[in-house]
């Protein structure tokens, strides 16, 4: 297929596409990945398509050479870390000499693996674009994390749970725009179909690979409907076709499975993970999968959570559950990724005991199981203890599990962060979370996997944000979130500004540099702005229950979901201290526990997560708590106007389509921010009776 397709958006490859179109340079490329394996084939076809260049067998005359080497790539240059074999070294001769044809030196891209050559090739392609800030001369880079994964919450009926960019790119409904040969087996009366839009899947896989994503789970962790049967033929053969595309771009493919599949599919009377019939059922299922998908990555499992079945029903632990899958997968080199998002959603808001504190749930369910998981099992833990809120402290499980492979889980999709309507580039949040792991100057790249029984099984996973929308992500600027996630997985310390500037230069190559920087600045400010006008100071869950967009301060307050802010006439926040509250603070190591126990040393961002405080409480900056909340909400809403001004200044540099789409969404964001401001300020004024010192008008 052609690389670019005018009906689709090229995301951050736009600059490379433009360069390719304009390029009159002729390349001759020599690549030593000559095998017939999927990645080598893909690498060669990408080179030919992007450079319009012949592949030559003689490296002596080549202008670009891609070659596999050891980790010691050149004199004094060595690729390091647990994923060194995916790293690359690029040598670009000085541009001017090369351009003028004075240099006889070729561009050299080298890596210990073909996958690494593919990453190096994209990195060179991006860096070779004149307007991009990245111009490698002699650059060496390897990923900080071995697992860099995207989770699709796509469902077999074409919907995407928490998706804000249209229908699934993988699945659809009979009658919608799907390729007929991919329609499911009408004799079974199925309405759900594999969409069969191969071009779009190839494009998506390419985007993923271009930022170093190396694993993908193809379906939602809530496994419903026909998705339960993806592990069996005839559905499995369709999954295998999709897997083949992603594998060729270096991504391992995973499936989410339903713990109850043996009963649903084959009528087994028990699902007990220690029962040999159940084990055998999974063994056979896994064998069949590997016949179809020899490099299959493994399973992702959500169990005993939000209504999903799991081992608790049989008096077994989550380690028993995970290890059953691990045993079946180990025989083929596969991995089970077991989610730690397990909590009892049936609580009572009046109960303020430790047992009712949802923040404790993951820790309570898993800390005792440290060291009990199989070597090919990984525990996937959401970054915060509750649920992807705007501000949460790091989940204490990351400190407790010293003998377990761990993945830290994020959302690229903006479930609680504005649905890709409001501008929200969450890289600062992810970086903050990862940085909490840093201990005694050991960098994040090492701390997450420091104690992992298998150092290859550690890293990050995030829920993706793409769909069938023309620009992939609904809001064209939300493409930056996907790009940023890839960059962050690769380099855990990459500064936000450098990512936003890279992205903006690659995505808006027609913009002058000043305006590229303006767009980058909008991204850099956006997460902070959103935090200012949404739920205050880490209290969380004041969001509208009907979809999680916009304010709903009472929506979860008296429900059974265990997520309360406890605002009353005296104060607001959840007391999680050891001295007086749910004792959650005590789940942290001493240093952090000491900091969180005292409101004066707790970071403002998570103040109300840890403390129930009176409205008159003096903040570090001298303002009262209530005044700070009023001020933040007014400031947040006002700063959206500033985002609009900045975007307007870019108008003449941005194509009409993207300019209008973003403008429209910024106006919606403005309305949302004002609604948050007015609703929150009114809500807390009603409780506290304390007026805004500045006498600003609250509209409601
Ligand atoms: C896939 C939150 C989301 C759910 C999601 C769940 C999870 O509760 O709102 O949509 O379910 O997290 O991570 O499993």
């Amino acid at each position: 297929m052609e690389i670019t397709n005018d009906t689709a958006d090229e995301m951050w490859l736009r600059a490379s596409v433009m360069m390719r179109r304009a390029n009159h340079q002729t390349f001759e490329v020599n690549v030593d990945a000559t095998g017939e394996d999927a990645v080598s084939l893909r690498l060669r076809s990408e080179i030919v398509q992007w450079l319009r260049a012949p592949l030559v067998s003689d490296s002596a005359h080549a202008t670009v050479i891609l070659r596999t080497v050891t980790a010691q790539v050149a004199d004094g240059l060595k690729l390091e870390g647990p994923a060194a074999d995916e790293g690359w070294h690029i040598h670009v001769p000085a541009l001017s000499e090369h351009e003028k044809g004075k240099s006889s030196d070729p561009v050299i891209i080298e890596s210990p693996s073909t996958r690494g050559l593919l990453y190096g090739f994209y990195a060179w392609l991006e860096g070779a674009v004149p307007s991009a800030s990245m111009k490698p001369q002699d650059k060496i880079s390897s990923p900080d994390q071995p697992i860099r994964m995207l989770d699709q919450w796509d469902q077999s009926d074409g919907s995407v749970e928490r998706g804000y960019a249209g229908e699934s790119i993988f699945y659809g409904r009979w009658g919608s725009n799907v390729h007929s040969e991919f329609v499911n087996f009408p004799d079974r009366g199925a309405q759900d179909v594999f969409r069969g839009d191969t071009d779009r899947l190839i494009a998506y896989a390419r985007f993923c690979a271009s930022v170093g994503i190396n694993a993908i789970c193809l379906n939602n962790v809530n496994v419903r409907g026909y998705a339960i049967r993806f592990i069996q033929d005839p559905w499995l053969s369709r999954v295998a076709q999709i897997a083949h595309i992603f594998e060729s771009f270096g991504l391992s493919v995973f499936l989410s499975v339903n713990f109850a599949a043996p009963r649903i599919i084959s009528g087994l009377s028990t699902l007990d993970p220690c029962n040999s019939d159940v084990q055998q059922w999974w063994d056979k299922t896994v064998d069949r999968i590997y016949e179809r998908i020899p490099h299959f990555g493994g399973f992702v499992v959500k169990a005993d959570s939000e209504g999903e079945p799991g081992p608790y029903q049989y008096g077994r632990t989550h380690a028993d559950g995970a290890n059953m899958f691990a045993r079946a997968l180990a025989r083929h080199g596969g991995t089970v990724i077991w989610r730690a998002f397990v909590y009892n959603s049936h609580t009572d808001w009046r109960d303020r005991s430790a047992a009712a504190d949802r923040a404790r749930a993951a820790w309570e369910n898993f800390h005792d199981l440290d060291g009990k998981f199989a070597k090919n099992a990984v525990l996937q833990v959401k970054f915060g203890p509750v649920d992807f809120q705007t501000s949460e402290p790091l989940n204490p499980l990351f400190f407790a599990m010293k003998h377990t492979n761990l993945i830290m889980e994020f959302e690229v999709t903006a479930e609680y962060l504005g649905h890709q309507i409001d501008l929200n580039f969450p890289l600062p949040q992810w970086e903050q979370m990862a940085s909490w792991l840093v201990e005694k100057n050991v960098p994040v790249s090492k701390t997450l996997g420091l104690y992992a029984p298998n150092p290859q099984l550690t890293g990050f996973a995030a829920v993706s944000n793409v769909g069938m929308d023309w620009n992939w992500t609904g809001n064209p600027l939300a493409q930056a979130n996907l790009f940023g996630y890839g960059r962050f997985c690769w380099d855990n310390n990459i500064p936000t500004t450098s990512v936003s500037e890279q992205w903006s230069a690659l995505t808006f190559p027609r913009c002058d540099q000043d305006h590229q920087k303006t767009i980058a600045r909008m991204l850099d400010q956006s997460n902070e702005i959103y935090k200012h006008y949404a739920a205050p100071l880490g209290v969380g869950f004041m969001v509208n229950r009907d979809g999680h967009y916009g304010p709903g301060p009472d929506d979860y307050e008296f429900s059974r979901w265990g997520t309360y802010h406890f605002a009353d006439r005296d104060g607001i926040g959840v007391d999680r201290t050891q001295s007086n509250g749910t004792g959650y603070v005590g789940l942290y190591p001493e240093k952090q526990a000491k900091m969180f126990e005292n409101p004066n040393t707790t970071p403002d961002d998570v103040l109300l997560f840890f403390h129930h405080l009176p409205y008159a409480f003096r903040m570090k900056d001298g303002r009262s708590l209530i005044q700070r909340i009023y001020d933040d909400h007014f400031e947040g809403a006002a700063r959206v106007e500033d985002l609009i001004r900045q975007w307007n200044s870019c108008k003449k540099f941005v194509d009409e389509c993207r300019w209008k789409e973003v403008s429209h969404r910024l106006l919606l964001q403005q309305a949302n921010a004002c609604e948050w401001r007015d609703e929150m300020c009114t809500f807390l004024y009603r409780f506290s009776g304390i007026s805004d010192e500045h006498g600003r008008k609250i509209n409601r």
Side-chain angles (χ1 to χ4, degrees):
M1 83 124 200
E2 257 295 287
I3 281 167
T4 178
N5 153 5
D6 285 338
T7 58
D9 192 282
E10 295 123 348
M11 300 225 248
W12 52 87
L13 295 179
R14 181 177 298 259
S16 307
V17 169
M18 274 177 55
M19 180 201 68
R20 172 177 167 277
R21 283 194 191 125
N23 179 40
H24 301 299
Q25 231 180 326
T26 47
F27 295 99
E28 290 199 358
V29 188
N30 174 262
V31 50
D32 75 357
T34 51
E36 292 303 299
D37 60 287
V39 184
S40 296
L41 288 168
R42 179 66 68 189
L43 173 66
R44 298 202 296 272
S45 88
E46 286 292 283
I47 293 168
V48 171
Q49 286 191 62
W50 278 103
L51 302 182
R52 299 182 197 279
L55 296 178
V56 295
S57 54
D58 178 7
S59 64
H61 301 292
T63 51
V64 182
I65 296 174
L66 289 97
R67 64 185 179 209
T68 34
V69 290
T70 61
Q72 184 73 50
V73 285
D75 272 356
L77 287 180
K78 188 171 190 299
L79 291 162
E80 280 172 346
D85 66 321
E86 293 180 84
W88 44 257
H89 166 237
I90 301 174
H91 172 77
V92 180
L95 205 56
S96 55
E97 288 176 37
H98 193 61
E99 270 178 341
K100 290 176 199 153
K102 281 186 194 158
S103 169
S104 53
D105 284 353
V107 171
I108 294 174
I109 302 172
E110 43 192 21
S111 168
S113 68
T114 316
R115 198 194 281 208
L117 287 181
L118 194 64
Y119 298 147
F121 176 68
Y122 292 125
W124 170 65
L125 207 61
E126 288 171 4
V129 177
S131 60
S133 53
M134 224 182 17
K135 285 181 189 151
Q137 294 298 310
D138 221 326
K139 218 178 148 162
I140 181 163
S141 183
S142 55
D144 282 344
Q145 300 296 339
I147 297 180
R148 306 178 300 279
M149 181 160 185
L150 279 171
D151 288 335
Q152 303 297 141
W153 280 0
D154 299 46
Q155 331 211 68
S156 62
D157 65 359
S159 61
V160 181
E161 183 155 351
R162 311 305 176 190
Y164 311 106
E167 284 202 345
S168 165
I169 62 172
F170 297 92
Y171 320 110
R173 287 295 273 180
W174 171 245
S176 66
N177 184 19
V178 292
H179 293 209
S180 56
E181 77 271 26
F182 279 89
V183 165
N184 272 343
F185 329 102
D187 51 312
R188 290 165 197 259
Q191 292 294 308
D192 300 359
V193 297
F194 284 81
R195 189 177 290 277
D197 190 343
T198 311
D199 284 356
R200 197 155 176 96
L201 296 184
I202 289 177
Y204 183 46
R206 178 181 291 117
F207 291 132
C208 292
S210 74
V211 290
I213 298 295
N214 67 357
I216 185 166
C217 180
L218 297 180
N219 61 314
N220 188 10
V221 287
N222 294 328
V223 191
R224 310 264 158 77
Y226 285 98
I228 298 171
R229 295 169 194 274
F230 281 3
I231 49 181
Q232 291 218 321
D233 269 332
W235 291 271
L236 184 58
S237 63
R238 300 292 189 235
V239 173
Q241 285 169 324
I242 298 177
H244 189 70
I245 294 173
F246 283 86
E247 284 176 358
S248 74
F249 282 93
L251 286 92
S252 308
V253 168
F254 286 71
L255 282 177
S256 293
V257 288
N258 188 311
F259 191 84
R263 186 170 58 214
I264 298 169
I265 297 177
S266 304
L268 256 64
S269 58
T270 177
L271 300 169
D272 182 347
C274 300
N275 176 293
S276 58
D277 289 347
V278 182
Q279 180 72 56
Q280 267 176 30
W281 191 92
W282 282 109
D283 288 351
K284 280 193 192 138
T285 301
V286 166
D287 291 347
R288 272 195 308 269
I289 295 176
Y290 277 89
E291 276 165 26
R292 292 300 173 106
I293 312 173
H295 301 291
F296 185 63
F299 294 144
V300 176
V301 189
K302 171 175 176 177
D304 287 318
S305 175
E306 299 187 332
E308 297 303 313
Y312 279 162
Q313 201 184 335
Y314 300 89
R316 307 294 182 187
T317 69
H318 280 260
D320 295 330
N323 292 345
M324 170 185 68
F325 292 102
R327 266 192 298 274
L329 289 158
R331 295 166 311 127
H332 301 276
T335 301
V336 61
I337 298 179
W338 193 266
R339 293 182 84 232
F341 183 65
V342 176
Y343 69 100
N344 173 11
S345 48
H346 293 263
T347 52
D348 184 326
W349 65 272
R350 283 159 294 213
D351 180 0
R352 298 202 187 190
S353 69
D357 182 2
R358 177 164 157 190
R360 298 182 64 109
W363 195 89
E364 297 289 3
N365 281 296
F366 288 95
H367 80 280
D368 267 356
L369 301 178
D370 189 27
K372 300 206 168 120
F373 288 93
K375 217 174 163 189
N376 62 328
V378 191
L379 192 62
Q380 178 162 310
V381 185
K382 286 192 181 180
F383 69 80
V386 179
D387 192 7
F388 298 135
Q389 298 300 289
T390 46
S391 283
E392 284 188 54
L394 186 71
N395 194 320
L397 263 190
F398 289 108
F399 301 106
M401 306 303 269
K402 300 287 191 203
H403 309 279
T404 304
N405 303 311
L406 291 174
I407 283 179
M408 192 183 288
E409 182 177 353
F410 298 103
E411 268 188 334
V412 178
T413 194
E415 177 182 357
Y416 295 99
L417 303 189
H419 286 200
Q420 285 145 231
I421 296 170
D422 298 24
L423 190 62
N424 199 331
F425 181 56
L427 191 60
Q429 184 192 46
W430 304 337
E431 284 183 337
Q432 189 197 15
M433 287 304 137
S435 73
W436 286 41
L437 283 172
V438 176
E439 267 181 283
K440 298 192 185 114
N441 295 330
V442 180
V444 184
S445 52
K446 300 222 168 62
T447 37
L448 190 55
L450 199 56
Y451 307 103
N454 182 347
Q456 290 303 309
L457 291 185
T458 181
F460 296 128
V463 186
S464 181
N465 67 344
V466 301
M468 287 303 287
D469 274 6
W470 65 270
N471 59 47
W472 293 91
T473 52
N475 186 337
L477 300 188
Q479 295 171 1
N481 301 10
L482 193 58
F483 176 87
Y485 173 67
R487 285 283 191 261
F488 164 72
C489 288
W490 188 280
D491 175 355
N492 304 164
N493 294 310
I494 195 162
T496 304
T497 318
S498 111
V499 179
S500 55
E501 287 185 1
Q502 270 176 26
W503 177 80
S504 165
L506 293 168
T507 309
F508 293 98
R510 285 185 218 279
C511 239
D512 67 9
Q513 271 195 4
D514 281 353
H515 289 85
Q516 287 175 347
K517 286 202 168 143
T518 302
I519 296 172
R521 213 174 314 117
M522 290 172 65
L523 293 175
D524 295 347
Q525 297 164 343
S526 59
N527 186 254
E528 190 63 23
I529 292 177
Y530 188 86
K531 276 203 289 198
H532 268 57
Y533 64 74
L537 307 170
V539 77
F541 269 99
M542 286 190 147
V543 79
N544 189 316
R545 198 161 86 184
D546 184 19
H548 298 169
Y549 183 78
D554 262 347
D555 280 20
Y556 278 93
E557 195 55 15
F558 306 103
S559 79
R560 62 179 175 83
W561 290 94
T563 41
Y564 314 119
H565 53 69
F566 297 125
D568 60 19
R569 64 183 178 181
D570 300 321
I572 177 172
V574 191
D575 190 341
R576 295 191 159 109
T577 59
Q578 287 180 276
S579 50
N580 212 22
T582 68
Y584 167 83
V585 164
L587 308 185
Y588 286 93
E590 204 184 326
K591 187 174 122 205
Q592 285 86 353
K594 204 167 157 216
M595 172 172 73
F596 295 141
E597 183 69 15
N598 179 348
N600 295 313
T601 53
T602 302
D604 285 356
D605 251 10
V606 286
L607 184 65
L608 299 179
F609 183 92
F610 285 107
H611 302 279
H612 184 83
L613 296 173
Y615 296 111
F617 174 81
R618 281 289 140 206
M619 302 288 292
K620 295 178 197 70
D621 63 11
R623 284 180 283 180
S624 68
L625 170 64
I626 187 81
Q627 190 57 41
R628 168 68 187 274
I629 296 177
Y630 290 152
D631 288 351
D632 278 1
H633 281 78
F634 275 93
E635 188 187 324
R639 286 178 69 186
V640 177
E641 283 167 31
D642 200 42
L643 289 176
I644 295 175
R645 267 191 298 277
Q646 294 185 61
W647 182 243
N648 284 344
S649 77
C650 299
K651 183 169 183 185
K652 73 173 187 222
F653 300 99
V654 177
D655 51 284
E656 200 185 349
C657 211
R658 285 189 291 172
W659 192 79
K660 278 191 169 157
E661 185 72 60
V662 173
S663 301
H664 170 64
R665 285 168 191 259
L666 284 170
L667 289 177
L668 294 174
Q669 175 173 5
Q670 190 180 32
N672 186 37
C674 291
E675 198 179 338
W676 267 103
R677 177 197 64 197
D678 294 346
E679 197 153 321
M680 292 307 303
C681 293
T682 309
F683 181 78
L684 293 176
Y685 173 67
R686 283 274 296 277
F687 275 125
S688 67
I690 302 172
S691 306
D692 170 29
E693 279 171 11
H694 305 293
R696 287 164 293 199
K697 193 165 174 334
I698 292 167
N699 292 335
R700 284 167 169 246

